[in-house]
Amino acid sequence: MSVPRPAETAGSDTIRLTVGQAVVRFLAAQHTERDGVRQRLILGTFGIFGHGNVAGLGQALLQNAVDPAEGEADMPYYQARNEQNMVHTAVAYARTRSRLQTLACTASIGPGSTNMVTGAALATIDRIPVLLLPSDVFASRAVDPVLQQLEDERAMDVTVNDAFRPVSRYFDRIWRPAQLIPSLLAAMRVLTDPAETGAVTICLPQDVQAEAHDFPAALFRERTWHVGRPVPEPAALERAVAAIRSAERPVVIAGGGAIYSEASAALEAFADATGIPVLDTQAGKGALGADHPLCIGGVGATGNDAANTLAAEADLVIGVGTRYTDFTTASHTAFRNPDVRFVNLNVKAFDAAKHSAEMVVADARAGLDALREALAGWQAPAEHGERARALRDRWEELVAPCFAPHDQELPAQTEIFGALNELMDDEDVVINAAGSMPGDLQALWKARSPRQYHLEYGYSCMGYELPASLGVKMAAPEAEVVAIIGDGTFQMAPQEIATIVAEDLKVILVILQNHGWSSIGALSESHGSQRFGTKYRMRSGESGLLDGDKLPFDIPANIRSYGLEVAEVSSTADFRDAYRRAEASEHATAIVVNTDLYGPHPPGSGWWDVPVSATSRLESTQAARTEYEAALAPQRHYL
């Protein structure tokens, strides 16, 4: 007669587990299904252990790894170096997996957990599912205050983890073990709902993590969360079709939703059938391949002149899976036709309603197919498509010099981007986030597949790129994964190089070193603030400002200290050679490229509303204010 393990001794319909053990076993049994494809939802857990979780979730993950119960699926543990970074890794993983799979993240009480708040905000803003398990205070209050506890004199049920509430799509705190059951089920619903997804946060008091409870055995059965494709409501579809049929100069704006719903084939079929030009956002680039004759490219503040000209002339804008950030709308100046109207196809009603649009609340792929079928036989005027293609050809001629060598000592970053665009295969992935690079990339990069262009610009979070390369490589091990990182971003978050080395994941890190914040420096200069505080310099004894010699920070040596092979180059030709060597390597490598801080960059055709001081003693600020007030003229609500 077999003797049940002490941790599982209970009645026939229950299993005795700690809360930490129950969380791990439950998560390992969750799956998603879409279009008949079933897969694990939570592929593993990233964590950094401390006194809040080491003996709770940490013990549960250890037990799962070395002594799993019969029938218990594995839950791999990955050791992170920074809590914000591990959330970025989970976001990148989930995005690469079309939001159908993700990772969990556990952190200790106090700073370990609040370090994840920025990552949570990014996930929720970008509509990407991640599961966060921050540790918390003692539920029993037997130890009060515990180390790292913030005391609130007004209430004893408030902790620093309440900071997760506004940045989470779902938030709960488990004060008693029995509360875990409905909370876990609710969390899975949000993680797998395309309209509601984002950061899901379940706070786990550290004593509760280690507390045992008789959980229903049925809680741990394999579950499949079906991710549907909502179809348009017939009347809404009819209204949208009527609006499209009446348009003379329509455009499509493809956002991230077009990629997450895997709607690229549907978008291509729609463009082919209707002849409507397709513009894209940072998240939507690649939804329609760059080689398609109606793919015009990036629109908005950092968009190209062809796309922005079409946007300005458009009498109808069809938004597909976009939430219309200020960069997409050029701060409400992009769409200048006084009679412009909107049709928004979005799985989330909140986004579909923007700009007084005709709302089509549906999955992007299902909605595009329905629109195409309902529009059968109708096409936009032929001259509209011809003009779009002519504008794109003119733009490509205009920016060709961006990729050619410039008359300066160091290459412009645009030269490096052009080389990368040629060197990378269609299914490889380029990663970037904040700074000047997303502006250049949106205007210049030709994405040849839906996954090739991985830009985080919803939260524009410096530090995303390097940990994201880890997440993308985990999700797409067959792809070459290239993270382009500015030297400013590198100094903020290099820690996950150690995790990349520990997991022996082959990524290529391209660090562009220009000794300053290029983007914010240019913004400062154009807004009258003279690039103040945007260069990496020693403090000058003469002026008292940070305008002395360059900092002696050695990025290649820093990276080598992690055990990576590093190439340092100062020309595009040398970069090409270094990239080919990195591509051939079996291990992670880094290429540090010395570039010119001042560009040049592609010509801008959009605007971004960054207010300038209304009064100043500085002539530079006074001049910038005059330009700012003039630029406000086209700004309006779309009513």
Side-chain angles (χ1 to χ4, degrees), residues 152 167 193 239 249 283 386 391 400 441 464 478 528:
D152 190 313
V167 296
D193 185 337
R239 291 190 295 268
R249 294 181 299 278
E386 292 168 2
L391 286 169
L441 288 165
Y464 174 83
E478 74 285 357

Side-chain angles (χ1 to χ4, degrees), residues 619-630:
E619 291 184 5
S620 60
T621 306
Q622 295 167 6
R625 179 67 190 192
T626 299
E627 293 178 3
Y628 173 73
E629 291 175 353

Side-chain angles (χ1 to χ4, degrees), residues 517-528:
W517 288 312
S518 175
S519 174
I520 208 66
L523 182 68
S524 170
E525 186 172 45
S526 65
H527 285 62

Side-chain angles (χ1 to χ4, degrees), residues 15-372:
I15 302 176
R16 189 161 184 79
L17 299 169
T18 67
V19 166
Q21 293 162 0
V23 167
V24 170
R25 184 177 295 198
F26 176 87
L27 295 180
Q30 307 308 301
H31 297 75
T32 62
E33 177 276 326
R34 187 170 73 179
D35 302 331
V37 178
R38 184 174 182 267
Q39 51 200 328
R40 278 274 296 270
L41 172 58
I42 308 293
L43 271 293
T45 299
F46 267 86
I48 297 178
F49 294 131
H51 72 279
N53 62 349
V54 66
L57 272 175
Q59 187 280 336
L61 288 165
L62 167 67
Q63 181 168 286
N64 175 272
V66 303
D67 188 24
E70 183 178 349
E72 180 181 0
D74 67 314
M75 177 56 64
Y77 168 72
Y78 300 97
Q79 183 185 71
R81 270 66 184 178
N82 175 278
E83 294 87 357
Q84 177 178 315
N85 288 352
M86 67 187 181
V87 185
H88 293 336
T89 298
V91 166
Y93 186 99
R95 177 172 169 176
T96 305
R97 292 288 193 173
S98 298
R99 306 193 300 188
L100 298 171
Q101 295 180 291
T102 189
L103 301 165
C105 299
T106 175
S108 184
I109 183 176
S113 288
T114 55
N115 278 351
M116 296 195 295
V117 172
T118 295
L122 181 149
T124 296
I125 286 171
D126 288 348
R127 318 285 205 258
I128 305 294
V130 294
L131 177 61
L132 308 182
L133 303 170
S135 301
D136 219 313
V137 298
F138 275 67
S140 68
R141 299 176 184 168
V143 180
D144 183 66
V146 66
L147 178 64
Q148 298 176 330
Q149 177 179 344
L150 172 69
E151 295 181 88
D152 190 313
E153 296 88 344
R154 300 162 297 175
M156 297 193 74
D157 63 348
V158 175
T159 80
V160 293
N161 284 349
D162 285 273
F164 284 97
R165 289 183 184 271
V167 296
S168 299
R169 292 298 299 164
Y170 176 83
F171 175 93
D172 198 7
R173 182 181 283 114
I174 308 302
W175 293 114
R176 300 173 62 183
Q179 294 175 336
L180 184 68
I181 299 169
S183 186
L184 284 173
L185 294 170
M188 297 306 105
R189 176 192 65 80
V190 176
L191 286 173
T192 58
D193 185 337
E196 298 300 323
T197 198
V200 168
T201 302
I202 301 179
C203 303
L204 298 172
Q206 55 187 294
D207 55 340
V208 175
Q209 287 184 43
E211 187 174 344
H213 181 74
D214 295 333
F215 289 96
L219 178 65
F220 307 108
R221 66 174 175 83
E222 284 199 357
R223 295 174 188 271
T224 300
W225 301 85
H226 300 282
V227 182
R229 292 192 179 276
V231 298
E233 189 263 327
L237 182 64
E238 185 177 339
R239 291 190 295 268
V241 167
I244 296 171
R245 285 183 178 274
S246 68
E248 295 291 326
R249 294 181 299 278
V251 296
V252 169
I253 295 182
I259 291 180
Y260 306 146
S261 66
E262 299 174 335
S264 291
L267 179 59
E268 182 175 2
F270 180 84
D272 288 341
T274 63
I276 300 176
V278 177
L279 324 179
D280 50 52
T281 70
Q282 288 281 14
K285 184 173 288 294
L288 184 64
D291 294 335
H292 193 282
L294 287 172
C295 178
I296 310 303
V299 67
T302 54
N304 69 57
D305 185 66
N308 282 336
T309 298
L310 292 173
E313 296 172 351
D315 58 356
L316 182 75
V317 176
I318 306 169
V320 181
T322 178
R323 59 191 188 89
Y324 290 109
T325 69
D326 63 339
F327 261 66
T328 297
T329 68
S331 298
H332 284 221
T333 65
F335 312 114
R336 301 196 177 194
N337 187 320
D339 300 318
V340 67
R341 295 169 297 155
F342 293 79
V343 169
N344 290 339
L345 168 58
N346 203 295
V347 73
K348 189 175 182 68
F350 177 82
D351 291 322
K354 290 176 178 176
H355 304 325
S356 306
E358 291 291 354
M359 300 168 58
V360 182
V361 181
D363 169 76
R365 192 174 87 179
L368 283 167
D369 285 342
L371 283 171
R372 176 177 50 80

Side-chain angles (χ1 to χ4, degrees), residues 302-620:
T302 54
N304 69 57
D305 185 66
N308 282 336
T309 298
L310 292 173
E313 296 172 351
D315 58 356
L316 182 75
V317 176
I318 306 169
V320 181
T322 178
R323 59 191 188 89
Y324 290 109
T325 69
D326 63 339
F327 261 66
T328 297
T329 68
S331 298
H332 284 221
T333 65
F335 312 114
R336 301 196 177 194
N337 187 320
D339 300 318
V340 67
R341 295 169 297 155
F342 293 79
V343 169
N344 290 339
L345 168 58
N346 203 295
V347 73
K348 189 175 182 68
F350 177 82
D351 291 322
K354 290 176 178 176
H355 304 325
S356 306
E358 291 291 354
M359 300 168 58
V360 182
V361 181
D363 169 76
R365 192 174 87 179
L368 283 167
D369 285 342
L371 283 171
R372 176 177 50 80
E373 292 168 5
L375 287 165
W378 178 89
Q379 280 198 326
E383 57 270 22
H384 180 52
E386 292 168 2
R387 173 166 168 74
R389 289 187 286 271
L391 286 169
R392 188 182 75 166
D393 291 344
R394 188 179 72 183
W395 168 256
E396 291 181 357
E397 291 178 4
L398 180 66
V399 297
C402 288
F403 306 125
H406 295 84
D407 185 20
Q408 53 195 28
E409 182 180 355
L410 296 174
Q413 65 187 27
T414 55
E415 297 176 48
I416 304 303
F417 298 157
L420 262 181
N421 212 169
E422 294 175 14
L423 291 164
M424 294 178 66
D425 291 337
D426 292 3
E427 294 300 319
D428 293 341
V429 184
V430 64
I431 303 169
N432 192 241
S436 65
M437 290 187 274
D440 288 355
L441 288 165
Q442 192 193 15
L444 300 175
W445 192 271
K446 295 182 178 181
R448 299 183 295 272
S449 75
R451 83 174 185 185
Q452 188 189 53
Y453 187 83
H454 187 116
L455 264 283
E456 194 296 299
Y457 216 57
Y459 206 40
S460 186
C461 187
M462 294 181 71
Y464 174 83
E465 301 92 326
L466 198 154
S469 71
L470 171 62
V472 172
K473 190 64 177 183
M474 291 173 64
E478 74 285 357
E480 205 70 78
V481 177
V482 181
I484 307 176
I485 306 167
D487 52 354
T489 292
F490 178 82
Q491 292 177 69
M492 286 187 174
Q495 301 93 334
E496 265 18 83
I497 295 177
T499 308
I500 290 169
V501 171
E503 299 293 341
D504 195 19
L505 291 173
K506 193 278 179 80
V507 300
I508 300 174
L509 307 178
V510 177
I511 295 91
L512 303 188
Q513 181 167 249
N514 55 27
H515 303 281
W517 288 312
S518 175
S519 174
I520 208 66
L523 182 68
S524 170
E525 186 172 45
S526 65
H527 285 62
S529 294
Q530 305 174 19
R531 291 186 179 258
F532 175 71
T534 65
K535 300 176 184 178
Y536 305 144
R537 300 292 188 272
M538 303 290 288
R539 188 171 298 281
S540 169
E542 183 176 341
S543 68
L545 302 177
L546 294 170
D547 59 1
D549 295 335
K550 292 178 180 178
L551 289 176
F553 180 49
D554 191 334
I555 290 179
N558 184 275
I559 297 173
R560 288 190 186 99
S561 72
Y562 287 95
L564 260 63
E565 181 180 342
V566 183
E568 184 175 9
V569 300
S570 299
S571 73
T572 304
D574 289 344
F575 170 77
R576 288 177 178 273
D577 292 340
Y579 182 85
R580 287 304 187 198
R581 292 194 299 273
E583 190 178 43
S585 174
E586 296 181 356
H587 305 286
T589 55
I591 307 170
V592 178
V593 189
N594 296 305
T595 59
D596 194 290
L597 178 64
Y598 301 100
H601 303 282
S605 61
W607 183 68
W608 187 36
D609 191 345
V610 178
V612 178
S613 296
T615 181
S616 173
R617 296 189 302 274
L618 302 178
E619 291 184 5
S620 60

